[in-house]
């Protein structure tokens, strides 16, 4: 494998950054460069990260945007491929990185993105989003829309030089980048074997703000996109029904009875508030973002994890000295 640079954006991630870095140095791929871009953390994030073999970069909070932090990290990277992960994720398996990078054997692949699942703190409704966005098995062989997610993704560094991230966006810089890469004739692909755990434990206000800023970005990327009040009502109700259906089958309905509508309300009210323009976009992309999980049950057991080495996080507070 060619040298890989891993770029991590972080701000006050002392609860998570050590576990992620521990998972990275336990990867079967060893020729790694880890770059941490901190945007003014006031907790122990930088101190914890500095115990590991990383390259630390800083950006002032007032200068931060998702695209700007990524461009700073990508500019410092020397690897042929750049892997982008959020500071509050961690890989499940030791071969996660190998799986994520493998599709680049095809020179037409510009970007890969992997599966995401939550942990015990993740809201049930968001678990359903992960199941919809990142299925256990690859369902689309030739993806024609630019959906991807920079919590667990990889790109070609040579292509980033042609297409730097848009620093003006309030979010979805990953989708914007993928859209431009596809326009140049490249392809993106989903890699379900490259699984990470994405830790979210947000307040309703933070959920609302996250979806609002992403809607603002989406309308910038697709100026003709629309989201009427009737869309808010329809998608809130249909997703609520879907979540209750699956929670009942999973025997967790009572414990999630109130958290499900709160999450969905914040999600779609934030989305509605983020939109001001009208129009249409690719129906596949709209279905990916908004439509609920189907009211049908399939065997959820995955064959992907058989005979794969898992990562030991029991001593993640004790970093190794080198990769």
């Amino acid at each position: 494998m060619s040298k890989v640079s891993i770029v991590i954006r972080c701000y006050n991630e002392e609860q998570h950054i050590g576990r992620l870095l521990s998972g990275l140095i336990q990867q079967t791929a060893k020729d790694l460069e880890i770059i941490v871009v901190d945007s003014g953390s006031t907790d122990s994030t930088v101190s914890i990260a500095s115990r590991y073999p990383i390259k630390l970069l800083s950006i002032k909070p007032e200068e931060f945007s998702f695209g700007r932090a990524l461009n700073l990290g990508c500019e410092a990277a020397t690897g042929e491929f750049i892997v982008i992960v959020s500071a509050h994720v961690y890989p499940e398996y030791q071969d996660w990185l190998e799986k994520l990078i493998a599709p680049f054997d095809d020179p037409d692949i510009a970007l890969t993105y992997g599966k995401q699942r939550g942990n015990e703190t993740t809201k049930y409704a968001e678990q359903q989003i992960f199941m919809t966005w990142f299925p256990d098995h690859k369902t689309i062989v030739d993806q024609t829309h630019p959906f991807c997610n920079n919590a667990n993704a990889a790109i070609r560094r040579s292509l980033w030089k042609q297409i730097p991230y848009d620093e003006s966006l309030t979010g979805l810089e990953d989708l914007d980048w993928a859209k431009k890469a596809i326009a140049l004739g490249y392809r993106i692909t989903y890699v379900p074997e490259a699984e990470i755990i994405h830790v979210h434990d947000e307040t309703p206000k933070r959920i609302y703000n996250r979806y609002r800023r992403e809607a603002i970005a989406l309308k910038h990327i697709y100026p003709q996109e629309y989201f009427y009040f009737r869309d808010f009502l329809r998608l809130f109700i249909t997703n609520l029904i879907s979540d209750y259906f699956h929670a009942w089958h999973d025997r967790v309905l009572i414990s999630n009875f109130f958290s499900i509508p709160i999450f969905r309300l914040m999600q779609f009210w934030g989305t509605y508030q983020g939109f001001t323009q009208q129009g249409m976009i690719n129906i596949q992309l709209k279905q990916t973002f908004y439509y609920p999980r189907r009211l049908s049950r399939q065997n959820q057991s995955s064959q992907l994890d058989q005979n794969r080495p898992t990562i030991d996080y029991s001593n993640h507070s004790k970093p190794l000295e080198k990769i």
Side-chain angles (χ1 to χ4, degrees):
M1 182 183 297
S2 301
K3 187 173 183 180
V4 175
S5 298
I6 301 175
V7 175
I8 306 167
R9 296 170 293 185
C10 63
Y11 174 74
N12 287 349
E13 296 281 6
E14 64 179 5
Q15 294 183 356
H16 309 293
I17 189 73
R19 181 169 49 193
L20 168 60
L21 293 171
S22 175
L24 295 182
I25 62 179
Q26 292 184 61
Q27 290 296 299
T28 52
K30 299 300 182 182
D31 190 15
L32 308 180
E33 173 185 55
I34 303 176
I35 301 170
V36 174
V37 183
D38 182 75
S39 54
S41 292
T42 57
D43 62 3
S44 300
T45 297
V46 173
S47 175
I48 295 171
S50 298
R51 302 172 190 168
Y52 292 81
I54 66 164
K55 180 187 295 184
L56 180 64
L57 305 176
S58 299
I59 185 172
K60 295 179 180 179
E62 60 271 19
E63 296 177 355
F64 173 84
S65 73
F66 295 99
R68 186 168 301 166
L70 270 185
N71 284 337
L72 181 64
C74 292
E75 185 175 5
T78 60
E80 181 180 356
F81 308 115
I82 298 175
V83 172
I84 302 165
V85 290
S86 295
H88 48 272
V89 310
Y90 58 94
E92 277 271 75
Y93 303 104
Q94 294 179 10
D95 60 354
W96 156 76
L97 186 56
E98 287 190 45
K99 299 294 186 182
L100 188 64
I101 296 299
F104 287 118
D105 288 342
D106 183 343
D108 291 334
I109 296 295
L111 178 150
T112 68
Y113 65 103
K115 186 168 73 174
Q116 299 183 32
R117 291 293 180 266
N119 69 348
E120 66 277 359
T121 68
T122 305
K123 304 291 190 299
Y124 185 83
E126 185 152 35
Q127 292 276 25
Q128 298 305 293
I129 291 175
F130 286 153
M131 294 288 289
T132 302
W133 287 4
F134 312 107
D136 284 333
H137 302 279
K138 192 170 184 177
T139 57
I140 301 176
V141 176
D142 190 9
Q143 183 173 317
T144 58
H145 60 77
F147 175 79
C148 57
N149 193 282
N150 266 351
N152 181 23
I155 62 173
R156 292 185 184 275
R157 180 168 173 267
S158 59
L159 192 54
W160 169 81
K161 291 181 178 180
Q162 300 179 49
I163 316 172
Y165 286 99
D166 189 333
E167 300 184 0
S168 68
L169 293 174
T170 56
L172 299 186
E173 76 293 335
D174 41 14
L175 185 146
D176 177 70
W177 193 93
K179 179 172 178 281
K180 293 172 180 176
I182 290 174
L184 292 178
Y186 289 90
R187 295 184 290 117
I188 68 175
T189 190
Y190 172 57
V191 187
E193 301 89 347
E195 180 176 351
I196 54 92
I197 302 300
H198 194 155
V199 182
H200 266 162
D201 187 17
E202 298 176 310
T203 63
K205 183 178 181 180
R206 292 190 65 180
I207 296 170
Y208 166 83
N209 287 335
R210 172 157 59 102
Y211 282 98
R212 180 176 179 271
R213 66 171 173 76
E214 289 186 352
I216 292 172
L218 188 60
K219 72 176 182 182
H220 179 86
I221 299 168
Y222 289 95
Q224 302 306 311
E225 165 69 333
Y226 69 84
F227 197 93
Y228 298 121
F229 184 74
R230 64 175 179 266
D231 295 310
F232 157 72
L233 290 176
R234 175 173 56 86
L235 291 170
F236 170 69
I237 293 171
T238 56
N239 278 273
L240 187 63
I241 293 172
S242 174
D243 290 349
Y244 277 153
F245 171 84
H246 290 287
W248 178 71
H249 276 276
D250 292 335
R251 298 182 180 180
V252 294
L253 177 58
I254 294 177
S255 60
N256 292 280
F257 191 82
F258 295 106
S259 67
I260 287 173
I262 291 173
F263 182 95
R264 291 300 188 179
L265 178 64
M266 293 300 99
Q267 176 192 7
F268 290 112
W269 186 247
T271 300
Y272 173 68
Q273 291 295 317
F275 278 94
T276 59
Q277 299 182 0
Q278 303 175 1
M280 297 184 65
I281 61 168
N282 183 300
I283 186 61
Q284 288 182 322
L285 186 59
K286 178 176 288 188
Q287 288 175 339
T288 299
F289 270 118
Y290 302 130
Y291 280 61
R293 192 175 166 198
R294 293 181 179 179
L295 297 182
S296 61
R297 300 289 292 184
Q298 298 177 346
N299 185 358
Q300 299 300 321
S301 62
S302 173
Q303 301 300 315
L304 300 177
D305 57 357
Q306 290 187 354
N307 300 318
R308 295 179 64 190
T310 57
I311 295 175
D312 179 11
Y313 285 108
S314 59
N315 292 315
H316 75 264
S317 60
K318 300 177 181 180
L320 302 178
E321 293 182 356
K322 62 182 180 179
I323 299 176

